[in-house]
Amino acid sequence: MLEVHDLACLKGDRLLFRGLALRLQAGGLLRVAGPNGVGKTSLLRLVTGLALPEAGEVRWRGVGIRRDREALHRELLYLGHAPALNDLLTPLENLRFACAAAGDEVDEENCIIALARIGLEHQLDLPARVLSQGQRRRVGLARLFLSARRPLWVLDEPFTALDAAAVAELAETLSDHCVAGGMVMLTTHQDAPFARAPAVLDVGAYAC
Amino acid sequence: MLNTFVAVLRRDLLLAWRGRADVLVTLAFFVIVVCLFPFGVGAEPNLLRAIAPGVLWVAALLACLLSLHRLFAQDHVDGTLEQLLLSSEPAVLWVMAKVLAFWLSTGLPVVAVAPVLGLLLDLEQGAYPVLVISLALGTPILALLGAVGAALTLGLRGGGMLLALLVLPLFVPVLIFGAGAVEAELSGTGATAHLLLLGGGLAGALALAPWACAAALRVSTE
């Protein structure tokens, strides 16, 4: 379970939010909402342990993540704003590296299946620099199909630059993950057709 | 555990191969800097012979410095670094893999070309093995120390200049013992002591620098 207590986030010398609390249970789908600049991405980075909070604590399965970061990282999939693609590598090479770097053993065949499923079967051997924004996004999202064993998915604006069909399919994938007992925390400004309406956390309510 | 190490090493070597123009620029810089000295100090063979060890070592050091900022910059911009920091494997492993790939793509070519440039400066025959060994032991130390500096200055405005100011003083002992080894061999006292010190320095840097580098990367990406 992911629990957040009394979290405060300082960016530069400005306090973005304070007193923020949330709890995400198995099967939970949480949408982090709020206007631009309110600290949605900062909250996600605090939850993943990439940044440290000014005050408060993030707990994964009851243990503070500062005490045991690896326990969280073994079960976490985070897709940030930047798609983590290198322009000189092909989508297949990028995806295989992303899985290996995270510590997952995924063979090439499954990577090809995942890329085909997300609609990139004809771009497998092209360098990533010739892909469109939407296609680049998809390469990152292909990791979702290979990360079912990681229960916590934290996604920063996953729907950006995707077409309507891809948004619907992604929403379905996320819903399926939750039904299977996973947890999803995401930010988005778009309305996506989720099977079950997500819980909403408005960061603006904790803004300073 | 070794999976992450191998994956990062293989990827960085592949990237070095695909972007080999960058590697060649470093090597060309090394060659050109050494070639400038005969123009600057005159083509007197005795003089060139005397300054050859120092010139080769300083040029190798600058060539290493020139490419250091590339070590993490691209991964920082495109988000790969975040993903690596979220890996369930220890950060020290992939930091070592990145530094090793960096050394193989920039340090090793410099070590390989140095004897040829030694010919240009009329370095004495007997000094070539010591020159190559000292560079082979010294350039990995430069890469390891430089990686810590590159991690600390990541994403800063004017980071390249700051990186040079930060790591050049740390390079001084390596330069002293590296160039000193070649000179000691030439003067007949034997280079063993210098080379052993370089080897010890490498072992120390290998043990400490990856940890410092991983910690610096966490701070820089926050």
Side-chain angles (χ1 to χ4, degrees), chain A residues 63-80:
Chain A
V63 183
I65 61 167
R66 291 185 78 162
R67 204 160 349 130
D68 191 359
R69 193 162 37 200
E70 272 74 30
L72 171 66
H73 289 174
R74 265 195 298 279
E75 304 189 273
L76 167 76
L77 171 71
Y78 170 70
L79 297 181

Side-chain angles (χ1 to χ4, degrees), chain A residues 45 78 84 88 93 101 143, chain B residues 18 78 82-83 87-88 221:
Chain A
R45 288 175 60 89
Y78 170 70
L88 295 176
E93 286 163 343
R143 265 190 77 196
Chain B
R18 299 227 169 124
D78 69 21
E82 276 181 358
Q83 292 297 333
S87 169
S88 46
T221 51

